[in-house]
């Protein structure tokens, strides 16, 4: 199983971006997807998490602006980010719990994607 994060870029304050986290491999089933962000000198922060068929969780700093979703047909988790602020600038990484018949349920990390919010 491989996990690939993408969708970062440069955006002006107030703008929007959608990040994607794709799990590839034979017979994968994505159970959870979580997005984390990190800036130099700071601890990694949990931004949002979704559990398949159950619940979503958001950091207080992004509630009402970010939306996490999971498309199991595409084995892809998304993070829609609206009304972006300069303080959202960070390296965003996804972490997913993925099930396959051969491995069982395993957590994987995807490479980060950089989000820069600046005018």
């Amino acid at each position: 199983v491989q996990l690939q994060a993408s969708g970062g870029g440069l955006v002006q304050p107030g703008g929007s971006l959608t990040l994607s986290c794709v799990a590839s491999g034979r017979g994968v089933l994505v159970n959870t997807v979580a997005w984390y962000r990190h800036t130099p000198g700071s601890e990694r922060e949990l931004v949002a998490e979704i559990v398949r068929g159950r619940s979503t969780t958001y950091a207080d700093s992004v509630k009402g602006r970010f939306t996490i979703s999971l498309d199991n047909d595409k084995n892809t988790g998304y993070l829609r980010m609206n009304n972006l602020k300069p303080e959202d600038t960070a390296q965003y990484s996804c972490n997913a719990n993925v099930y396959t018949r051969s491995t069982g349920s395993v957590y994987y990390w995807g490479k980060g994607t950089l989000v820069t919010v600046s005018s």
Side-chain angles (χ1 to χ4, degrees):
V1 176
Q2 288 190 327
L3 207 60
Q4 179 70 45
S6 63
L10 173 64
V11 63
Q12 291 187 343
S16 299
L17 281 175
T18 298
L19 306 183
S20 300
C21 178
V22 183
S24 58
R26 285 189 70 179
V28 302
L29 176 65
V30 180
N31 292 316
T32 69
V33 175
W35 287 94
Y36 290 82
R37 64 186 180 188
H38 176 258
T39 56
S42 69
E43 292 188 0
R44 186 170 57 197
E45 175 190 18
L46 175 63
V47 176
E49 181 177 25
I50 185 167
V51 179
R52 179 171 57 90
R54 293 172 66 181
S55 61
T56 57
T57 305
Y58 296 93
D60 288 342
S61 57
V62 307
K63 281 181 182 176
R65 300 188 297 122
F66 290 11
T67 303
I68 191 169
S69 60
L70 175 58
D71 185 336
N72 272 115
D73 290 338
K74 297 181 180 179
N75 296 320
T76 301
Y78 301 96
L79 184 67
R80 175 66 177 177
M81 306 184 293
N82 294 327
N83 190 22
L84 281 160
K85 303 176 181 181
E87 52 263 42
D88 295 317
T89 295
Q91 186 85 354
Y92 286 72
S93 301
C94 63
N95 177 270
N97 182 274
V98 180
Y99 172 86
T100 68
R101 186 175 294 181
S102 60
T103 65
S105 294
V106 178
Y107 283 95
Y108 297 90
W109 281 99
K111 278 188 176 180
T113 183
L114 181 63
V115 173
T116 303
V117 185
S118 175
S119 54

CSV table of all heavy atoms in Angstrom, one decimal, residues 30-88:
chain,number,residue,atom,x,y,z
A,30,VAL,N,-10.0,1.9,3.1
A,30,VAL,CA,-9.5,3.0,3.9
A,30,VAL,C,-10.5,3.1,5.1
A,30,VAL,O,-11.7,3.4,4.9
A,30,VAL,CB,-9.4,4.3,3.2
A,30,VAL,CG1,-8.9,5.4,4.1
A,30,VAL,CG2,-8.4,4.2,2.0
A,31,ASN,N,-10.0,3.0,6.3
A,31,ASN,CA,-10.8,3.1,7.5
A,31,ASN,C,-10.8,4.5,8.1
A,31,ASN,O,-11.9,5.0,8.5
A,31,ASN,CB,-10.3,2.1,8.6
A,31,ASN,CG,-10.5,0.7,8.2
A,31,ASN,OD1,-11.6,0.3,7.7
A,31,ASN,ND2,-9.5,-0.2,8.4
A,32,THR,N,-9.7,5.1,8.2
A,32,THR,CA,-9.6,6.5,8.7
A,32,THR,C,-8.6,7.3,7.9
A,32,THR,O,-7.6,6.7,7.3
A,32,THR,CB,-9.1,6.5,10.2
A,32,THR,OG1,-7.8,6.1,10.3
A,32,THR,CG2,-10.0,5.5,11.0
A,33,VAL,N,-8.8,8.6,7.9
A,33,VAL,CA,-7.8,9.5,7.3
A,33,VAL,C,-7.7,10.7,8.2
A,33,VAL,O,-8.7,11.2,8.7
A,33,VAL,CB,-8.3,10.0,5.9
A,33,VAL,CG1,-7.3,11.1,5.4
A,33,VAL,CG2,-8.3,8.9,4.9
A,34,ALA,N,-6.4,11.0,8.5
A,34,ALA,CA,-6.2,12.2,9.3
A,34,ALA,C,-5.2,13.1,8.6
A,34,ALA,O,-4.3,12.6,8.0
A,34,ALA,CB,-5.6,11.8,10.7
A,35,TRP,N,-5.4,14.4,8.7
A,35,TRP,CA,-4.5,15.4,8.2
A,35,TRP,C,-3.8,16.1,9.3
A,35,TRP,O,-4.4,16.5,10.3
A,35,TRP,CB,-5.2,16.4,7.3
A,35,TRP,CG,-5.7,15.9,6.0
A,35,TRP,CD1,-6.9,15.4,5.7
A,35,TRP,CD2,-4.9,15.8,4.8
A,35,TRP,NE1,-6.9,14.9,4.4
A,35,TRP,CE2,-5.7,15.2,3.8
A,35,TRP,CE3,-3.6,16.1,4.5
A,35,TRP,CZ2,-5.3,15.0,2.5
A,35,TRP,CZ3,-3.2,15.9,3.2
A,35,TRP,CH2,-4.0,15.3,2.2
A,36,TYR,N,-2.5,16.2,9.2
A,36,TYR,CA,-1.6,16.9,10.2
A,36,TYR,C,-0.9,18.0,9.5
A,36,TYR,O,-0.7,17.9,8.2
A,36,TYR,CB,-0.6,15.9,10.8
A,36,TYR,CG,-1.2,14.9,11.7
A,36,TYR,CD1,-1.7,13.7,11.2
A,36,TYR,CD2,-1.1,15.0,13.1
A,36,TYR,CE1,-2.2,12.7,12.0
A,36,TYR,CE2,-1.6,14.0,13.9
A,36,TYR,CZ,-2.2,12.9,13.4
A,36,TYR,OH,-2.7,11.9,14.2
A,37,ARG,N,-0.5,19.0,10.2
A,37,ARG,CA,0.4,20.0,9.6
A,37,ARG,C,1.5,20.3,10.6
A,37,ARG,O,1.4,20.2,11.8
A,37,ARG,CB,-0.5,21.3,9.3
A,37,ARG,CG,-1.1,22.0,10.5
A,37,ARG,CD,-2.0,23.1,10.0
A,37,ARG,NE,-2.6,23.9,11.1
A,37,ARG,CZ,-3.5,24.8,10.9
A,37,ARG,NH1,-3.9,25.1,9.6
A,37,ARG,NH2,-4.0,25.4,11.9
A,38,HIS,N,2.5,20.8,10.0
A,38,HIS,CA,3.8,21.1,10.7
A,38,HIS,C,4.5,22.3,10.1
A,38,HIS,O,4.6,22.4,8.9
A,38,HIS,CB,4.7,19.8,10.7
A,38,HIS,CG,6.0,20.0,11.3
A,38,HIS,ND1,7.1,20.2,10.6
A,38,HIS,CD2,6.4,20.0,12.6
A,38,HIS,CE1,8.2,20.4,11.4
A,38,HIS,NE2,7.7,20.2,12.7
A,39,THR,N,5.0,23.1,11.0
A,39,THR,CA,5.8,24.2,10.6
A,39,THR,C,7.1,24.1,11.4
A,39,THR,O,7.2,23.6,12.5
A,39,THR,CB,5.2,25.6,10.9
A,39,THR,OG1,4.9,25.7,12.3
A,39,THR,CG2,3.9,25.8,10.0
A,40,PRO,N,8.3,24.6,10.8
A,40,PRO,CA,9.5,24.6,11.5
A,40,PRO,C,9.4,25.2,12.9
A,40,PRO,O,8.9,26.3,13.1
A,40,PRO,CB,10.5,25.4,10.6
A,40,PRO,CG,9.9,25.2,9.3
A,40,PRO,CD,8.4,25.3,9.5
A,41,GLY,N,9.9,24.5,13.9
A,41,GLY,CA,9.9,25.0,15.3
A,41,GLY,C,8.7,24.7,16.0
A,41,GLY,O,8.6,25.1,17.2
A,42,SER,N,7.7,24.1,15.4
A,42,SER,CA,6.4,23.8,16.1
A,42,SER,C,6.2,22.3,16.1
A,42,SER,O,6.7,21.6,15.3
A,42,SER,CB,5.3,24.5,15.5
A,42,SER,OG,5.0,24.0,14.2
A,43,GLU,N,5.3,21.9,17.0
A,43,GLU,CA,4.9,20.5,17.0
A,43,GLU,C,3.9,20.2,15.9
A,43,GLU,O,3.2,21.1,15.5
A,43,GLU,CB,4.3,20.1,18.4
A,43,GLU,CG,5.3,20.2,19.5
A,43,GLU,CD,4.8,19.6,20.8
A,43,GLU,OE1,3.6,19.2,20.8
A,43,GLU,OE2,5.5,19.7,21.8
A,44,ARG,N,3.9,18.9,15.5
A,44,ARG,CA,2.9,18.5,14.5
A,44,ARG,C,1.5,18.7,15.1
A,44,ARG,O,1.2,18.2,16.3
A,44,ARG,CB,3.2,17.1,14.1
A,44,ARG,CG,2.3,16.6,12.9
A,44,ARG,CD,2.8,15.3,12.4
A,44,ARG,NE,2.9,14.3,13.4
A,44,ARG,CZ,3.5,13.2,13.3
A,44,ARG,NH1,4.2,13.0,12.2
A,44,ARG,NH2,3.5,12.3,14.3
A,45,GLU,N,0.6,19.2,14.3
A,45,GLU,CA,-0.8,19.5,14.8
A,45,GLU,C,-1.8,18.6,14.0
A,45,GLU,O,-1.7,18.6,12.8
A,45,GLU,CB,-1.1,21.0,14.7
A,45,GLU,CG,-2.6,21.3,15.0
A,45,GLU,CD,-3.0,22.7,14.6
A,45,GLU,OE1,-2.3,23.3,13.8
A,45,GLU,OE2,-4.0,23.2,15.1
A,46,LEU,N,-2.7,18.0,14.8
A,46,LEU,CA,-3.8,17.3,14.1
A,46,LEU,C,-4.8,18.3,13.6
A,46,LEU,O,-5.4,19.1,14.4
A,46,LEU,CB,-4.5,16.3,15.0
A,46,LEU,CG,-5.7,15.6,14.5
A,46,LEU,CD1,-5.4,14.7,13.3
A,46,LEU,CD2,-6.4,14.7,15.6
A,47,VAL,N,-5.1,18.3,12.3
A,47,VAL,CA,-6.0,19.3,11.7
A,47,VAL,C,-7.4,18.7,11.7
A,47,VAL,O,-8.3,19.4,12.1
A,47,VAL,CB,-5.5,19.7,10.3
A,47,VAL,CG1,-6.5,20.6,9.7
A,47,VAL,CG2,-4.1,20.3,10.4
A,48,ALA,N,-7.5,17.5,11.1
A,48,ALA,CA,-8.8,16.9,11.0
A,48,ALA,C,-8.7,15.4,10.8
A,48,ALA,O,-7.7,14.9,10.3
A,48,ALA,CB,-9.6,17.5,9.8
A,49,GLU,N,-9.7,14.7,11.2
A,49,GLU,CA,-9.7,13.3,11.1
A,49,GLU,C,-11.1,12.8,10.7
A,49,GLU,O,-12.1,13.3,11.2
A,49,GLU,CB,-9.3,12.6,12.4
A,49,GLU,CG,-9.2,11.1,12.3
A,49,GLU,CD,-8.7,10.5,13.6
A,49,GLU,OE1,-8.8,11.1,14.7
A,49,GLU,OE2,-8.2,9.3,13.5
A,50,ILE,N,-11.2,11.7,9.9
A,50,ILE,CA,-12.5,11.1,9.6
A,50,ILE,C,-12.4,9.6,9.8
A,50,ILE,O,-11.4,9.0,9.4
A,50,ILE,CB,-12.9,11.5,8.2
A,50,ILE,CG1,-14.3,11.0,7.9
A,50,ILE,CG2,-11.9,11.0,7.1
A,50,ILE,CD1,-15.0,11.5,6.6
A,51,VAL,N,-13.4,9.1,10.4
A,51,VAL,CA,-13.5,7.6,10.5
A,51,VAL,C,-14.7,7.2,9.6
A,51,VAL,O,-15.8,7.7,9.7
A,51,VAL,CB,-13.9,7.3,12.0
A,51,VAL,CG1,-14.0,5.7,12.1
A,51,VAL,CG2,-12.8,7.8,12.9
A,52,ARG,N,-14.4,6.2,8.8
A,52,ARG,CA,-15.3,5.7,7.7
A,52,ARG,C,-16.7,5.4,8.4
A,52,ARG,O,-16.7,4.6,9.3
A,52,ARG,CB,-14.7,4.5,7.0
A,52,ARG,CG,-15.7,3.9,5.9
A,52,ARG,CD,-14.9,2.9,5.1
A,52,ARG,NE,-14.4,1.8,6.0
A,52,ARG,CZ,-15.0,0.7,6.3
A,52,ARG,NH1,-16.3,0.5,5.8
A,52,ARG,NH2,-14.5,-0.2,7.1
A,53,GLY,N,-17.7,6.1,7.8
A,53,GLY,CA,-19.1,5.8,8.3
A,53,GLY,C,-19.4,6.3,9.7
A,53,GLY,O,-20.5,6.0,10.2
A,54,ARG,N,-18.5,7.0,10.3
A,54,ARG,CA,-18.8,7.4,11.6
A,54,ARG,C,-18.6,8.9,11.9
A,54,ARG,O,-19.6,9.7,11.7
A,54,ARG,CB,-17.9,6.6,12.6
A,54,ARG,CG,-18.3,5.1,12.6
A,54,ARG,CD,-17.3,4.3,13.4
A,54,ARG,NE,-17.3,4.6,14.8
A,54,ARG,CZ,-16.5,4.0,15.7
A,54,ARG,NH1,-15.6,3.1,15.3
A,54,ARG,NH2,-16.6,4.3,16.9
A,55,SER,N,-17.4,9.4,12.2
A,55,SER,CA,-17.3,10.7,12.7
A,55,SER,C,-16.2,11.5,12.1
A,55,SER,O,-15.3,11.0,11.4
A,55,SER,CB,-17.1,10.7,14.3
A,55,SER,OG,-15.9,10.0,14.5
A,56,THR,N,-16.3,12.8,12.3
A,56,THR,CA,-15.2,13.7,11.9
A,56,THR,C,-14.8,14.6,13.1
A,56,THR,O,-15.6,14.8,14.0
A,56,THR,CB,-15.6,14.7,10.8
A,56,THR,OG1,-16.7,15.4,11.2
A,56,THR,CG2,-15.9,13.9,9.5
A,57,THR,N,-13.5,14.9,13.1
A,57,THR,CA,-12.9,15.7,14.2
A,57,THR,C,-12.1,16.8,13.6
A,57,THR,O,-11.4,16.6,12.6
A,57,THR,CB,-12.1,14.9,15.1
A,57,THR,OG1,-12.8,13.8,15.6
A,57,THR,CG2,-11.6,15.7,16.3
A,58,TYR,N,-12.2,18.0,14.2
A,58,TYR,CA,-11.4,19.2,13.7
A,58,TYR,C,-10.7,19.9,14.8
A,58,TYR,O,-11.2,20.0,15.9
A,58,TYR,CB,-12.3,20.2,13.0
A,58,TYR,CG,-13.0,19.6,11.7
A,58,TYR,CD1,-14.3,19.1,11.8
A,58,TYR,CD2,-12.4,19.7,10.5
A,58,TYR,CE1,-14.9,18.6,10.7
A,58,TYR,CE2,-13.0,19.2,9.4
A,58,TYR,CZ,-14.3,18.6,9.5
A,58,TYR,OH,-14.9,18.1,8.4
A,59,ALA,N,-9.5,20.4,14.5
A,59,ALA,CA,-8.9,21.4,15.4
A,59,ALA,C,-9.7,22.6,15.5
A,59,ALA,O,-10.4,23.0,14.5
A,59,ALA,CB,-7.5,21.7,14.9
A,60,ASP,N,-9.7,23.2,16.7
A,60,ASP,CA,-10.6,24.4,16.9
A,60,ASP,C,-10.2,25.5,15.9
A,60,ASP,O,-11.0,26.3,15.4
A,60,ASP,CB,-10.4,25.0,18.3
A,60,ASP,CG,-11.0,24.1,19.3
A,60,ASP,OD1,-11.9,23.3,18.9
A,60,ASP,OD2,-10.7,24.2,20.5
A,61,SER,N,-8.9,25.6,15.5
A,61,SER,CA,-8.4,26.7,14.6
A,61,SER,C,-9.0,26.6,13.2
A,61,SER,O,-8.9,27.5,12.4
A,61,SER,CB,-6.9,26.6,14.6
A,61,SER,OG,-6.4,25.4,14.2
A,62,VAL,N,-9.5,25.4,12.8
A,62,VAL,CA,-10.0,25.2,11.4
A,62,VAL,C,-11.5,25.0,11.4
A,62,VAL,O,-12.0,24.9,10.2
A,62,VAL,CB,-9.2,24.1,10.7
A,62,VAL,CG1,-7.7,24.3,10.8
A,62,VAL,CG2,-9.6,22.7,11.2
A,63,LYS,N,-12.2,24.8,12.5
A,63,LYS,CA,-13.6,24.5,12.5
A,63,LYS,C,-14.3,25.6,11.7
A,63,LYS,O,-14.1,26.8,11.9
A,63,LYS,CB,-14.1,24.4,13.9
A,63,LYS,CG,-13.8,23.1,14.6
A,63,LYS,CD,-14.4,23.1,16.0
A,63,LYS,CE,-14.1,21.8,16.7
A,63,LYS,NZ,-14.5,21.7,18.1
A,64,GLY,N,-15.3,25.2,10.9
A,64,GLY,CA,-16.0,26.1,10.1
A,64,GLY,C,-15.4,26.5,8.8
A,64,GLY,O,-16.0,27.2,7.9
A,65,ARG,N,-14.1,26.2,8.6
A,65,ARG,CA,-13.3,26.6,7.4
A,65,ARG,C,-12.9,25.4,6.6
A,65,ARG,O,-12.8,25.4,5.4
A,65,ARG,CB,-12.1,27.4,7.8
A,65,ARG,CG,-12.4,28.7,8.5
A,65,ARG,CD,-11.2,29.6,8.6
A,65,ARG,NE,-10.2,29.0,9.5
A,65,ARG,CZ,-8.9,28.8,9.0
A,65,ARG,NH1,-8.6,29.1,7.8
A,65,ARG,NH2,-8.0,28.2,9.8
A,66,PHE,N,-12.5,24.3,7.3
A,66,PHE,CA,-12.0,23.1,6.7
A,66,PHE,C,-13.1,22.0,6.7
A,66,PHE,O,-13.8,21.9,7.7
A,66,PHE,CB,-10.7,22.6,7.4
A,66,PHE,CG,-9.5,23.5,7.2
A,66,PHE,CD1,-9.6,24.7,6.6
A,66,PHE,CD2,-8.3,23.0,7.5
A,66,PHE,CE1,-8.5,25.5,6.5
A,66,PHE,CE2,-7.1,23.7,7.4
A,66,PHE,CZ,-7.2,25.0,6.9
A,67,THR,N,-13.1,21.2,5.7
A,67,THR,CA,-14.0,20.0,5.7
A,67,THR,C,-13.2,18.8,5.2
A,67,THR,O,-12.6,18.8,4.2
A,67,THR,CB,-15.2,20.3,4.7
A,67,THR,OG1,-15.9,21.4,5.1
A,67,THR,CG2,-16.1,19.1,4.8
A,68,ILE,N,-13.3,17.7,6.0
A,68,ILE,CA,-12.6,16.5,5.7
A,68,ILE,C,-13.7,15.5,5.1
A,68,ILE,O,-14.8,15.5,5.6
A,68,ILE,CB,-11.9,15.9,6.9
A,68,ILE,CG1,-11.0,14.7,6.4
A,68,ILE,CG2,-12.8,15.5,8.0
A,68,ILE,CD1,-10.0,14.3,7.5
A,69,SER,N,-13.3,14.7,4.1
A,69,SER,CA,-14.2,13.8,3.6
A,69,SER,C,-13.4,12.5,3.1
A,69,SER,O,-12.2,12.6,3.0
A,69,SER,CB,-15.0,14.4,2.4
A,69,SER,OG,-14.2,14.8,1.4
A,70,LEU,N,-14.2,11.5,2.8
A,70,LEU,CA,-13.6,10.2,2.4
A,70,LEU,C,-14.4,9.6,1.3
A,70,LEU,O,-15.6,9.4,1.5
A,70,LEU,CB,-13.5,9.3,3.6
A,70,LEU,CG,-12.9,7.9,3.4
A,70,LEU,CD1,-11.6,7.9,2.8
A,70,LEU,CD2,-13.0,7.1,4.7
A,71,ASP,N,-13.8,9.3,0.2
A,71,ASP,CA,-14.5,8.6,-0.9
A,71,ASP,C,-13.9,7.2,-1.0
A,71,ASP,O,-12.8,7.0,-1.5
A,71,ASP,CB,-14.2,9.4,-2.2
A,71,ASP,CG,-15.0,8.8,-3.4
A,71,ASP,OD1,-15.3,7.6,-3.3
A,71,ASP,OD2,-15.3,9.5,-4.4
A,72,ASN,N,-14.7,6.3,-0.5
A,72,ASN,CA,-14.1,4.9,-0.4
A,72,ASN,C,-14.0,4.2,-1.8
A,72,ASN,O,-13.2,3.3,-2.0
A,72,ASN,CB,-15.0,4.0,0.5
A,72,ASN,CG,-14.4,4.1,1.9
A,72,ASN,OD1,-15.1,4.6,2.8
A,72,ASN,ND2,-13.2,3.7,2.2
A,73,ASP,N,-14.9,4.7,-2.8
A,73,ASP,CA,-14.8,4.1,-4.1
A,73,ASP,C,-13.5,4.5,-4.7
A,73,ASP,O,-12.9,3.7,-5.6
A,73,ASP,CB,-15.9,4.7,-5.0
A,73,ASP,CG,-17.3,4.1,-4.6
A,73,ASP,OD1,-17.3,3.0,-3.9
A,73,ASP,OD2,-18.3,4.7,-4.9
A,74,LYS,N,-12.9,5.6,-4.4
A,74,LYS,CA,-11.6,6.1,-4.9
A,74,LYS,C,-10.5,5.9,-4.0
A,74,LYS,O,-9.3,6.3,-4.3
A,74,LYS,CB,-11.7,7.6,-5.3
A,74,LYS,CG,-12.7,7.8,-6.4
A,74,LYS,CD,-12.8,9.3,-6.8
A,74,LYS,CE,-13.8,9.6,-7.9
A,74,LYS,NZ,-13.8,11.0,-8.2
A,75,ASN,N,-10.8,5.4,-2.8
A,75,ASN,CA,-9.7,5.2,-1.7
A,75,ASN,C,-9.0,6.5,-1.5
A,75,ASN,O,-7.8,6.5,-1.3
A,75,ASN,CB,-8.7,4.1,-2.1
A,75,ASN,CG,-9.4,2.8,-2.2
A,75,ASN,OD1,-10.2,2.4,-1.4
A,75,ASN,ND2,-9.0,2.0,-3.2
A,76,THR,N,-9.7,7.6,-1.4
A,76,THR,CA,-9.1,8.9,-1.3
A,76,THR,C,-9.8,9.7,-0.2
A,76,THR,O,-11.0,9.8,-0.1
A,76,THR,CB,-9.3,9.7,-2.7
A,76,THR,OG1,-8.7,8.9,-3.7
A,76,THR,CG2,-8.7,11.0,-2.6
A,77,GLY,N,-9.0,10.4,0.6
A,77,GLY,CA,-9.5,11.3,1.6
A,77,GLY,C,-9.1,12.7,1.1
A,77,GLY,O,-8.2,12.9,0.4
A,78,TYR,N,-10.0,13.6,1.4
A,78,TYR,CA,-9.9,15.0,1.0
A,78,TYR,C,-9.9,16.0,2.2
A,78,TYR,O,-10.6,15.7,3.2
A,78,TYR,CB,-11.0,15.4,0.0
A,78,TYR,CG,-11.1,14.6,-1.2
A,78,TYR,CD1,-12.0,13.5,-1.3
A,78,TYR,CD2,-10.3,14.8,-2.3
A,78,TYR,CE1,-12.1,12.7,-2.4
A,78,TYR,CE2,-10.4,14.1,-3.5
A,78,TYR,CZ,-11.3,13.0,-3.5
A,78,TYR,OH,-11.4,12.2,-4.6
A,79,LEU,N,-9.2,17.1,2.0
A,79,LEU,CA,-9.4,18.2,3.0
A,79,LEU,C,-9.6,19.4,2.2
A,79,LEU,O,-8.7,20.0,1.5
A,79,LEU,CB,-8.1,18.3,3.8
A,79,LEU,CG,-8.2,19.4,4.9
A,79,LEU,CD1,-9.2,18.9,6.0
A,79,LEU,CD2,-6.8,19.6,5.6
A,80,ARG,N,-10.9,19.9,2.3
A,80,ARG,CA,-11.2,21.1,1.6
A,80,ARG,C,-11.0,22.3,2.6
A,80,ARG,O,-11.5,22.3,3.7
A,80,ARG,CB,-12.7,21.1,1.2
A,80,ARG,CG,-13.2,22.4,0.6
A,80,ARG,CD,-12.6,22.8,-0.7
A,80,ARG,NE,-13.1,24.0,-1.3
A,80,ARG,CZ,-12.7,24.5,-2.4
A,80,ARG,NH1,-11.7,24.0,-3.1
A,80,ARG,NH2,-13.3,25.6,-2.9
A,81,MET,N,-10.2,23.2,2.2
A,81,MET,CA,-9.7,24.3,3.0
A,81,MET,C,-10.2,25.6,2.4
A,81,MET,O,-9.8,26.0,1.3
A,81,MET,CB,-8.2,24.4,3.2
A,81,MET,CG,-7.7,23.0,3.7
A,81,MET,SD,-5.9,23.1,3.9
A,81,MET,CE,-5.3,23.3,2.3
A,82,ASN,N,-11.2,26.3,3.1
A,82,ASN,CA,-11.7,27.6,2.7
A,82,ASN,C,-11.2,28.7,3.6
A,82,ASN,O,-10.8,28.5,4.7
A,82,ASN,CB,-13.2,27.5,2.7
A,82,ASN,CG,-13.8,26.6,1.7
A,82,ASN,OD1,-13.2,26.4,0.6
A,82,ASN,ND2,-14.9,25.9,2.0
A,83,ASN,N,-11.4,29.9,3.1
A,83,ASN,CA,-11.0,31.1,3.9
A,83,ASN,C,-9.6,30.9,4.5
A,83,ASN,O,-9.5,31.1,5.8
A,83,ASN,CB,-12.1,31.4,5.0
A,83,ASN,CG,-11.9,32.7,5.7
A,83,ASN,OD1,-11.2,33.6,5.1
A,83,ASN,ND2,-12.4,32.8,6.9
A,84,LEU,N,-8.7,30.6,3.8
A,84,LEU,CA,-7.3,30.3,4.3
A,84,LEU,C,-6.7,31.5,4.8
A,84,LEU,O,-6.9,32.7,4.3
A,84,LEU,CB,-6.4,29.7,3.2
A,84,LEU,CG,-6.7,28.2,2.9
A,84,LEU,CD1,-6.2,27.8,1.6
A,84,LEU,CD2,-6.1,27.4,4.0
A,85,LYS,N,-5.9,31.3,5.9
A,85,LYS,CA,-5.2,32.4,6.6
A,85,LYS,C,-3.7,32.2,6.5
A,85,LYS,O,-3.3,31.0,6.4
A,85,LYS,CB,-5.7,32.5,8.0
A,85,LYS,CG,-7.2,32.6,8.2
A,85,LYS,CD,-7.6,32.6,9.7
A,85,LYS,CE,-9.1,32.7,9.9
A,85,LYS,NZ,-9.5,32.6,11.3
A,86,PRO,N,-2.9,33.2,6.7
A,86,PRO,CA,-1.5,33.0,6.7
A,86,PRO,C,-1.0,32.0,7.7
A,86,PRO,O,0.0,31.3,7.5
A,86,PRO,CB,-0.9,34.4,7.0
A,86,PRO,CG,-2.0,35.4,6.4
A,86,PRO,CD,-3.3,34.7,6.7
A,87,GLU,N,-1.7,31.9,8.8
A,87,GLU,CA,-1.3,31.0,9.9
A,87,GLU,C,-1.6,29.5,9.5
A,87,GLU,O,-1.2,28.6,10.2
A,87,GLU,CB,-1.9,31.3,11.2
A,87,GLU,CG,-3.4,31.5,11.2
A,87,GLU,CD,-3.8,33.0,11.0
A,87,GLU,OE1,-3.2,33.7,10.3
A,87,GLU,OE2,-4.8,33.4,11.7
A,88,ASP,N,-2.3,29.3,8.4
A,88,ASP,CA,-2.5,28.0,7.9
A,88,ASP,C,-1.3,27.5,7.1
A,88,ASP,O,-1.3,26.3,6.7
A,88,ASP,CB,-3.8,27.9,7.0
A,88,ASP,CG,-5.0,28.2,7.8
A,88,ASP,OD1,-5.2,27.6,8.9
A,88,ASP,OD2,-5.9,28.9,7.3
